[in-house]
Amino acid sequence: ETGVTQTPRHLVMGMTNKKSLKCEQHLGHNAMYWYKQSAKKPLELMFVYNFKEQTENNSVPSRFSPECPNSSHLFLHLHTLQPEDSALYLCASSQDPGDYGYTFGSGTRLTVV
Amino acid sequence: EDQVTQSPEALRLQEGESSSLNCSYTVSGLRGLFWYRQDPGKGPEFLFTLYSAGEEKEKERLKATLTKKESFLHITAPKPEDSATYLCAVQPNTGNQFYFGTGTSLTVIP
């Protein structure tokens, strides 16, 4: 257990479905992140939250919608996804946004059919 | 353009056979370089941070070194449990971006 918990671990969804990914951390960290990891590609930063406020949106399509109700929880709402969105979605946290000693969750393996 | 390149893409070693993984980077200025280990089905696990050329960090059989253009992760007498993908990431000293490489997949054969 790394301190960052992601659910579900696996998700298969159709292109017309709506689903949500959940991330929870009890490390007392102030910053939380969503990353996308695709095969043979570097990790791609999607969103950054600091004290519940979104500080970065890395040109992510609007079919991905983040939500951070408090500094311990982070969600990624998904709707009308494309097959190329299939990937491992990783949540991470750190003490502050400038502190990159991240603690990552185990990820959600998403398959869009 | 800021960039991180890791080599080799994959590496197979016999148990006890020491080797090195490379991470070369091109950034306008380096704030920090980070090494992570990722096991299958899991998220990356933080290993080291290096900040300046000449710096070295060690943890068990792993030693990370840094020059002005690249970092090496040296693995001494590896064991099968060292099998994983090793990721390198750099943080430039301007902006908040954080660039990952594509990783080196290491397999250590008993």
Side-chain angles (χ1 to χ4, degrees):
Chain A
E1 179 57 57
T2 66
V4 177
T5 303
Q6 288 188 245
T7 54
R9 291 296 309 275
H10 302 273
L11 178 63
V12 179
M13 60 185 288
M15 288 189 284
T16 58
N17 290 161
K18 291 183 180 181
K19 296 286 185 183
S20 296
L21 311 184
K22 180 181 177 182
C23 175
E24 186 173 353
Q25 61 96 0
H26 296 290
L27 300 169
H29 288 169
N30 299 316
M32 296 187 77
Y33 313 81
W34 280 115
Y35 273 87
K36 176 182 179 181
Q37 187 174 34
S38 304
K40 306 289 187 182
K41 291 186 178 181
L43 268 72
E44 300 173 50
L45 178 64
M46 299 176 73
F47 302 103
V48 180
Y49 277 82
N50 181 31
F51 289 105
K52 306 188 300 177
E53 300 298 322
Q54 186 180 130
T55 60
E56 193 152 345
N57 174 338
N58 209 25
S59 303
V60 179
S62 59
R63 57 187 184 269
F64 295 92
S65 175
E67 178 189 1
C68 190
N70 55 61
S71 58
S72 298
H73 294 85
L74 186 64
F75 295 89
L76 188 62
H77 304 298
L78 316 171
H79 63 97
T80 59
L81 295 190
Q82 305 298 311
E84 58 265 29
D85 296 322
S86 298
L88 181 67
Y89 288 85
L90 291 163
C91 174
S93 70
S94 66
Q95 188 59 49
D96 298 298
D99 169 16
Y100 286 103
Y102 291 167
T103 301
F104 281 91
S106 294
T108 295
R109 173 66 64 184
L110 173 67
T111 304
V112 181
V113 297
Chain B
E1 180 181 328
D2 296 333
Q3 197 167 355
V4 179
T5 303
Q6 290 188 247
S7 62
E9 184 175 323
L11 181 63
R12 289 172 64 89
L13 299 173
Q14 289 292 135
E15 184 171 2
E17 179 188 1
S18 301
S19 188
S20 297
L21 283 54
N22 177 263
C23 172
S24 62
Y25 61 91
T26 306
V27 294
S28 53
L30 181 70
R31 182 183 297 176
L33 185 142
F34 305 81
W35 282 98
Y36 287 85
R37 168 190 172 129
Q38 186 172 22
D39 292 297
K42 294 191 176 181
E45 176 187 349
F46 173 73
L47 292 173
F48 304 111
T49 308
L50 301 166
Y51 294 104
S52 56
E55 189 175 359
E56 298 183 353
K57 293 273 180 75
E58 286 190 66
K59 180 179 180 180
E60 295 181 357
R61 294 175 292 282
L62 301 176
K63 183 169 79 172
T65 62
L66 181 65
T67 72
K68 289 188 177 180
K69 293 187 176 182
E70 59 192 349
S71 176
F72 291 93
L73 185 65
H74 307 278
I75 303 176
T76 302
K79 297 182 177 181
E81 53 262 42
D82 295 322
S83 298
T85 295
Y86 290 86
L87 299 172
C88 168
V90 299
Q91 180 187 9
N93 57 16
T94 56
N96 289 320
Q97 276 293 349
F98 188 37
Y99 299 97
F100 278 87
T102 53
T104 293
S105 175
L106 173 66
T107 303
V108 181
I109 304 163

